[in-house]
Amino acid sequence: MAWLVLILSGVFEAVWATALGKSVGFTRLVPSIVFIVGLVVSMGGLAYALRTLPVGTAYAVWVGIGAAATVAYAMGTGEESVSALKVVFLLGIIGCVIGLKALH
């Protein structure tokens, strides 16, 4: 259960990171609210997962999922350019996250 919560928390990290960028310094209400909700859900899930998972592994997985999902979303919406190297490096992050899970 902790791994599922951790994965979902990583996805919510991407939600709050994206909303933070769209909030334009907290001057836009809806993205600012999405940021706050996403942050609370993401941190709460990470805290829950840390009750049973080692902090180093859990944090690395959480950050990796959040970072990869944030970049993938930005590339998918056209806010960030897509290149073969970016895709290769994102796959590397995802591979490392899978490796950390497999070793646990």
Side-chain angles (χ1 to χ4, degrees), residues 58-80:
Y59 183 70
V61 168
W62 181 76
V63 168
I65 291 169
T70 302
V71 174
Y73 176 81
M75 289 190 313
T77 59
E79 294 177 23
E80 189 166 326

Side-chain angles (χ1 to χ4, degrees), residues 14-89:
V15 169
W16 69 252
T18 301
L20 180 60
K22 293 185 180 297
S23 75
V24 190
F26 300 114
T27 60
R28 297 180 61 216
L29 181 61
V30 173
S32 297
I33 291 170
V34 171
F35 165 76
I36 291 167
V37 171
L39 181 66
V40 169
V41 171
S42 181
M43 291 293 176
L46 176 62
Y48 174 83
L50 289 176
R51 291 171 30 189
T52 57
L53 299 175
V55 68
T57 299
Y59 183 70
V61 168
W62 181 76
V63 168
I65 291 169
T70 302
V71 174
Y73 176 81
M75 289 190 313
T77 59
E79 294 177 23
E80 189 166 326
S81 65
V82 179
S83 73
L85 278 177
K86 279 186 184 179
V87 172
V88 166
F89 291 134

